[in-house]
Amino acid sequence: MLTPLPKRTQAEIACDSIRAEILDGRLPPGAKLNIKALEERFGLSLGAVREALSRLGAEGMVVCESHRGYHVSPVSSGELLDLTHARIEMESLCIAQAMAQGEVEWETRIVAAAHRMERLQAIPSEAEARSTPAWNAAHGEFHEALVSACSNQWLLRMRHMLYRQSERYRRLSVPLGNDERDVRAEHQVLMDAVLRRDAEAARGAIEVHLLATAQIILKSPLLQAD
């Protein structure tokens, strides 16, 4: 008999809904977050929205300033580069542990996640596919699968926090386009290195992959003034 899933609270629903709009760009960097308007739009209580904004503040997704209220966290080239280098280190640590501890089920999960991402990326075109919620979810699952055999929960928590923050930046890169970049090949090289348990090659692949995204985002109009 299946165990029923725990019922989500209004605060959790509000947190997920606001975060999704931030990641999708519907709430752009620097946007003011009107608590009353959010309450009405999502049909949730004022207390739930306040708690959600507090949680998102702890994640770094939003900021609260005296006399100005809540705003979506701004973006900057300096933060992007710091975030990218931190994520390279954290992903490398988690992947190294996963390679040391992973068994066939871990390998199977990686291959399945890569296959799903590849199929979604082919329809209708690579650039269009990478802007869809389905591909974004598959992309997240692929990177999650790579580290899923890591047993260090503290490393995984920190890695998850960095992933969410970098995802906000990554989605800024998709509309900019880059015909010279082969995202499929980057993911393939990374997967191949991980499956053959080559820690040095895996670190090099994740570094190339994340820095390529960062270089595209640095050309974004949102960062040019910065």
Side-chain angles (χ1 to χ4, degrees):
M1 184 176 179
L2 294 176
T3 304
L5 295 173
K7 187 175 180 179
R8 298 170 71 213
T9 66
Q10 283 202 356
E12 289 171 335
I13 294 171
C15 191
D16 290 345
S17 299
I18 297 169
R19 186 192 298 109
E21 293 201 357
I22 292 173
L23 291 177
D24 289 343
R26 285 173 285 170
L27 288 171
K32 181 173 175 56
L33 298 170
N34 184 292
I35 296 177
K36 185 65 176 175
L38 292 171
E39 174 197 9
E40 294 174 355
R41 183 154 92 250
F42 297 128
L44 300 169
S45 71
L46 190 65
V49 173
R50 288 186 182 279
E51 183 177 343
L53 291 175
S54 179
R55 293 184 185 184
L56 291 169
E59 291 181 12
M61 289 286 178
V62 306
V63 292
C64 182
E65 299 178 8
S66 298
H67 309 300
R68 293 192 62 210
Y70 284 97
H71 290 75
V72 177
S73 295
V75 293
S76 72
S77 56
E79 183 192 50
L80 169 61
L81 291 172
D82 285 347
L83 177 60
T84 301
H85 288 295
R87 190 171 166 216
I88 289 168
E89 296 300 327
M90 192 56 62
E91 291 283 350
S92 298
L93 282 172
C94 291
I95 286 174
Q97 285 212 9
M99 287 189 292
Q101 299 167 347
E103 298 181 352
V104 67
E105 291 81 7
W106 168 68
E107 295 178 356
T108 302
R109 179 178 174 181
I110 293 171
V111 173
H115 177 71
R116 180 168 181 264
M117 182 175 60
E118 174 69 18
R119 291 297 297 271
L120 289 170
Q121 190 160 303
I123 304 171
S125 71
E126 181 173 324
E128 292 173 298
R130 288 192 290 117
S131 65
T132 64
W135 190 88
N136 286 330
H139 178 253
E141 168 56 28
F142 172 72
H143 281 282
E144 181 76 21
L146 294 175
V147 303
S148 60
C150 173
S151 62
N152 189 315
Q153 294 303 307
W154 278 105
L155 287 180
L156 291 175
R157 288 189 194 105
M158 289 186 283
R159 181 252 164 207
H160 185 61
M161 179 187 71
L162 292 170
Y163 180 84
R164 276 183 171 170
Q165 286 295 327
S166 63
E167 185 70 356
R168 187 165 76 107
Y169 277 95
R170 185 192 68 79
R171 296 192 193 186
L172 292 173
S173 76
V174 176
L176 300 177
N178 190 324
D179 294 336
E180 297 178 0
R181 186 180 184 191
D182 190 342
V183 177
R184 281 191 181 93
E186 290 175 25
H187 285 139
Q188 187 67 50
V189 169
L190 175 58
M191 181 175 71
D192 290 347
V194 170
L195 291 179
R196 68 174 183 265
R197 319 282 173 131
D198 187 334
E200 184 176 351
R203 179 186 172 84
I206 198 69
E207 184 172 4
V208 167
H209 183 52
L210 297 183
L211 286 176
T213 299
Q215 290 304 316
I216 295 172
I217 304 167
L218 288 170
K219 300 175 185 176
S220 167
L222 284 170
L223 299 181
Q224 288 304 297
D226 176 66

